[in-house]
Amino acid sequence: MTENQPQAPITSMDGWRDQWMAARQNPDAFWLARTRELIQWRTEPTQGLHGDFSTIKDGPLTWFADGKLNITESCLDRHAAATPDKTAILWEGDEPGDVQHISFAQLLEKVCRLADALGKLGIQKGDRVIIYMGMVPEAAVAMLACARIGAIHSVVFGGFSAEALRDRVRDCGAEVVITQNVGRRGGRNIPLKAVTDEALEGERGVKGVIVFKRTDDETPMVEGRDHWWHDVCANASPNTPATECDAEDALFILYTSGSTGKPKGVVHTCGGYITYATYTHKTVFGIQPDDVYACVADVGWITGHSYIVYGPLSNGVTTLMFESTPMYPDAGRYWDMVQRHKINVFYTAPTAIRAIAAHGDDFVTKYDRSTLRVLGTVGEPINPEAWQWYHDSPGEGRCAVVDTWWQTETGGICITPIAGATPTKPGSATLPMPGINPVLMQADGSGKVMWGPGEGHLCIEYPWPGQARTVWNDHPRFVATYFQTYPNYYFTGDGCKRDDDGYHWITGRVDDVLNVSGHRMGTAEFESALLIRDEVAEAAVVGYPHPIKGQGVYAYIVLQPGQEATDELPKLLQQEVRTNIGVVAKVDKFQFIPGLPKTRSGKVMRRILRKIAEGQPDAIGDTSTLADPSVVETIKAGYQG
Ligand code: WT7
């Protein structure tokens, strides 16, 4: 096979094994061939990987370093030339049937206009733009318009608070914020512009705010700072040229939670990211040119970046954007959309599957799902019961189900079945993508690699093009977070079992990161919000299994001397969490305790708190190193079951 011959799709386990081995034996040749076949370069790269996990402390590794491109030419121009009238974005608004079809030609024009408008506001290559929007096509337009002129976007999920938005604006030094007057979700307004105003009060670095008008609601505008989207775009060029970028220029920053401190600005770069998003999207879902592809995530998360916007558009298929929720107006909404839009590939989160399964099969069977071919899940471990229901009921037992494991930091799917090729097991993410070499480390801290079946900490052994390059403005934090626990390996933060067939079963986070309804949040973020209130002396937050959300949030609170746990207090504490993080952050249970279980050296034994919150007080294990073991009995007795 010559280098530039397109790779055949993977349709069998032999096909998977061939590609996986090819990528393992010669990663540079494998990825150079993939990027040349899938991506529109201005100057094709001749270089593969430079650097590796052992040199990462000296600076980011690079892929395709001598290549030049603008990723919007892969996502827009080439399709606008070949298939101008094909629907690029199929938008389904909050109200069922409120639909828009935006063709590749129209999308390119919208992107060009906003790109020009951004330029006129002074945005140049390398400048940062925050996007704080709901699920409207304009959110994708905003991302692509930034990319068009080489600006770096950072999308902030619309469920985050003004505080959280301000933190991100400051951290990345954004000069423009793009928002909308209000968002719509589940029949309700989301005050996006009002929250933006609150976040930007006194922020002198932001010189412009562009406001998309989603509804006719009254919208106060700040003179000299705020501009209506329709005004700035009306006076802008419909064919703004794409700015040539280096493969390793930053494409976007996305903030994500870790076990300590404030969320990190994970940085993805142009060439490697677009290659990996395009390749994995095409390969995992077996994408066909005429597919109607629907990922019902939000662009505020990495899933929305890679698998609503960049991957599908680069592959030239119709991608759905969904503004509403799986429950609005009722639990049949997904399948109603599948029938109306003749969706072929559908991608959602386990929490949504569990929520709709609880409403029974009638909401599913009343709609025609015969167009469906592939059903995907992402975001959290899927329990076998939910997997089976997804497969049997919406999927009529004939669709491929792909449980895709990956992370904000990995840029794209890493461990997954390949639709139509990999035999599945309910609850298992199965096998690695070509180019991904997963390794399990013994969880005992010995740092030893485990061979064969077993359970350990999931690491990845070798770089791949889609991985994050650094943390914005803080490369040492990037190195410390991902490459220090297991030197020379990328540490994912997840636990994983490997069975006799070499299949992977992700068991969840092994660090202090929560996953609530597929939303990633740090226990430390909850704790610092709770500590803001004067009543609170100490706080410890842990997760516990929740039947729908995957994990619930359990907060242990130690009050200041003289303070009392009034009936009001939990409400006030919850309000503080909401103010600091956003509506996505909710404490499910509060327990007021006299003291935290600490070792004699003052370290909180979170393991004990976790076991009690999980309702397994008998599995606590050894407590002899505690300064005051009696506190455990008190905490057990006050368990909020
Ligand atoms: C964490 C990453 C990847 C896009 C959405 C989440 C968990 C993700 C799976 C899966 C088990 C999963 C992991 C991971 N996770 N997918 N298929 N099976 N767990 O991205 O917010 O960066 O969160 O989500 O714990 O570390 P994220």
Side-chain angles (χ1 to χ4, degrees):
M1 198 198 290
T2 69
E3 264 201 357
N4 279 342
Q5 226 165 38
Q7 183 85 43
I10 296 176
T11 54
S12 66
M13 283 303 274
D14 283 345
W16 168 79
R17 210 167 286 114
D18 287 350
Q19 272 200 41
W20 194 83
M21 286 309 291
R24 176 159 184 118
Q25 278 159 5
N26 195 340
D28 278 1
F30 178 82
W31 287 116
L32 281 166
R34 296 294 76 69
T35 198
R36 288 180 193 149
E37 109 199 6
L38 294 168
I39 301 305
Q40 184 86 43
W41 290 87
R42 293 227 183 139
T43 307
E44 279 196 349
T46 63
Q47 301 175 5
L49 174 67
H50 283 185
D52 58 39
F53 295 160
S54 72
T55 62
I56 211 151
K57 58 185 181 313
D58 307 322
L61 52 80
T62 68
W63 282 92
F64 315 132
D66 61 344
K68 305 248 184 238
L69 80 171
N70 181 291
I71 64 94
T72 65
E73 294 184 334
S74 290
C75 295
L76 300 171
D77 301 68
R78 61 174 168 174
H79 308 304
T83 52
D85 302 326
K86 180 174 180 176
T87 300
I89 293 178
L90 169 50
W91 182 71
E92 164 106 0
D94 194 39
E95 298 303 324
D98 184 6
V99 171
Q100 275 181 41
H101 288 258
I102 300 171
S103 70
F104 277 99
Q106 290 168 330
L107 184 61
L108 174 59
E109 181 182 330
K110 284 175 191 285
V111 168
C112 283
R113 285 182 183 275
L114 187 67
D116 190 39
L118 285 169
K120 286 177 177 153
L121 284 178
I123 294 296
Q124 296 179 347
K125 184 161 180 277
D127 291 346
R128 276 79 59 210
V129 174
I130 291 260
I131 301 171
Y132 184 66
M133 300 182 83
M135 285 299 290
V136 288
E138 285 71 17
V141 172
M143 293 162 74
L144 291 159
C146 291
R148 187 81 175 168
I149 56 173
I152 303 166
H153 63 69
S154 185
V155 184
V156 176
F157 177 59
F160 281 125
S161 67
E163 290 283 331
L165 177 57
R166 182 186 306 125
D167 280 348
R168 287 155 174 79
V169 166
R170 281 190 190 160
D171 186 80
C172 73
E175 292 178 31
V176 165
V177 175
I178 306 176
T179 187
Q180 59 190 76
N181 63 338
V182 293
R184 294 288 301 165
R185 203 159 180 269
R188 289 210 284 254
N189 275 357
I190 301 165
L192 293 168
K193 174 64 163 64
V195 174
T196 302
D197 286 342
E198 195 186 333
L200 296 186
E201 222 180 291
E203 292 303 304
R204 292 171 171 266
V206 176
K207 52 191 182 199
V209 175
I210 299 178
V211 186
F212 171 68
K213 195 165 192 273
R214 167 68 180 88
T215 67
D216 292 328
D217 292 78
E218 189 83 39
T219 309
M221 299 287 274
V222 175
E223 185 68 36
R225 186 197 71 180
D226 297 353
H227 310 270
W228 284 111
W229 174 297
H230 52 263
D231 288 339
V232 291
C233 286
N235 302 318
S237 163
N239 36 40
T240 307
T243 300
E244 186 167 285
C245 296
D246 285 337
E248 286 295 345
D249 283 339
L251 174 61
F252 64 84
I253 302 168
L254 189 57
Y255 286 85
T256 193
S257 297
S259 47
T260 55
K262 291 202 168 175
K264 292 181 285 288
V266 165
V267 178
H268 283 284
T269 57
C270 296
Y273 172 80
I274 196 68
T275 302
Y276 198 68
T278 308
Y279 170 73
T280 50
H281 177 252
K282 189 172 187 171
T283 305
V284 171
F285 300 106
I287 293 295
Q288 306 291 318
D290 291 327
D291 276 346
V292 176
Y293 162 87
C295 168
V296 288
D298 191 287
V299 288
W301 312 110
I302 190 71
T303 307
H305 286 60
S306 302
Y307 300 115
I308 295 177
V309 179
Y310 288 117
L313 292 178
S314 176
N315 281 320
V317 296
T318 300
T319 184
L320 180 110
M321 284 182 83
F322 178 47
E323 190 180 32
S324 195
T325 82
M327 292 299 176
Y328 186 73
D330 61 39
R333 183 66 182 272
Y334 280 171
W335 323 116
D336 170 31
M337 287 200 292
V338 165
Q339 171 176 299
R340 277 188 288 115
H341 300 308
K342 303 191 166 36
I343 291 168
N344 307 108
V345 179
F346 189 82
Y347 195 23
T348 188
T351 187
I353 296 166
R354 289 190 293 264
I356 51 187
H359 287 78
D361 280 12
D362 290 352
F363 283 109
V364 183
T365 52
K366 73 175 183 209
Y367 298 106
D368 177 8
R369 285 111 55 228
S370 60
T371 53
L372 284 174
R373 191 178 73 238
V374 183
L375 298 172
T377 75
V378 60
E380 44 175 330
I382 182 162
N383 48 312
E385 303 70 38
W387 190 103
Q388 202 65 54
W389 182 82
Y390 197 34
H391 174 268
D392 295 348
S393 187
E396 303 178 309
R398 54 167 190 84
C399 293
V401 173
V402 293
D403 168 9
T404 65
W405 175 88
W406 57 296
Q407 309 177 293
T408 304
E409 296 88 339
T410 70
I413 296 166
C414 289
I415 302 180
T416 180
I418 289 173
T422 314
T424 46
K425 302 185 190 185
S428 172
T430 74
L431 295 165
M433 285 301 289
I436 300 296
N437 303 311
V439 162
L440 297 191
M441 298 293 178
Q442 284 184 11
D444 59 10
S446 65
K448 284 201 194 116
V449 174
M450 294 171 44
W451 304 104
E455 181 169 352
H457 289 179
L458 179 64
C459 289
I460 302 178
E461 192 187 12
Y462 191 84
W464 65 103
Q467 74 178 108
R469 299 296 192 261
T470 189
V471 167
W472 181 256
N473 265 338
D474 201 349
H475 194 66
R477 191 172 176 202
F478 182 69
V479 176
T481 308
Y482 306 108
F483 300 96
Q484 236 150 45
T485 318
Y486 298 103
N488 301 336
Y489 292 89
Y490 167 75
F491 176 43
T492 64
D494 279 325
C496 180
K497 268 188 253 189
R498 191 167 46 208
D499 69 15
D500 292 327
D501 297 322
Y503 274 38
H504 296 79
W505 303 71
I506 308 294
T507 55
R509 301 289 306 198
V510 295
D511 52 11
D512 295 318
V513 170
L514 300 170
N515 190 330
V516 181
S517 302
H519 296 162
R520 177 166 159 185
M521 290 176 287
T523 53
E525 290 167 69
F526 277 89
E527 289 160 7
S528 41
L530 293 165
L531 284 166
I532 290 172
R533 289 215 56 105
D534 290 340
E535 297 90 337
V536 178
E538 293 187 282
V541 169
V542 298
Y544 68 92
H546 186 284
I548 303 284
K549 298 196 280 190
Q551 268 189 316
V553 179
Y554 197 112
Y556 295 94
I557 307 285
V558 182
L559 293 173
Q560 295 282 9
Q563 292 290 342
E564 239 178 277
T566 59
D567 290 350
E568 277 294 284
L569 193 51
K571 239 183 280 161
L572 296 171
L573 294 172
Q574 175 52 41
Q575 186 51 48
E576 196 63 54
V577 168
R578 195 182 156 125
T579 302
N580 282 277
I581 307 176
V583 289
V584 285
K586 184 173 171 296
V587 178
D588 296 279
K589 294 175 182 179
F590 284 101
Q591 184 181 348
F592 295 94
I593 57 175
L596 291 169
K598 289 183 184 171
T599 62
R600 271 170 234 116
S601 58
K603 194 173 173 306
V604 177
M605 286 185 80
R606 304 179 69 90
R607 172 177 59 86
I608 293 176
L609 296 173
R610 239 179 260 129
K611 285 292 170 211
I612 294 174
E614 283 167 9
Q616 294 185 27
D618 299 333
I620 282 174
D622 183 25
T623 58
S624 61
T625 58
L626 287 177
D628 174 13
S630 77
V631 62
V632 174
E633 291 313 314
T634 320
I635 300 175
K636 274 190 197 172
Y639 167 62
Q640 304 292 302

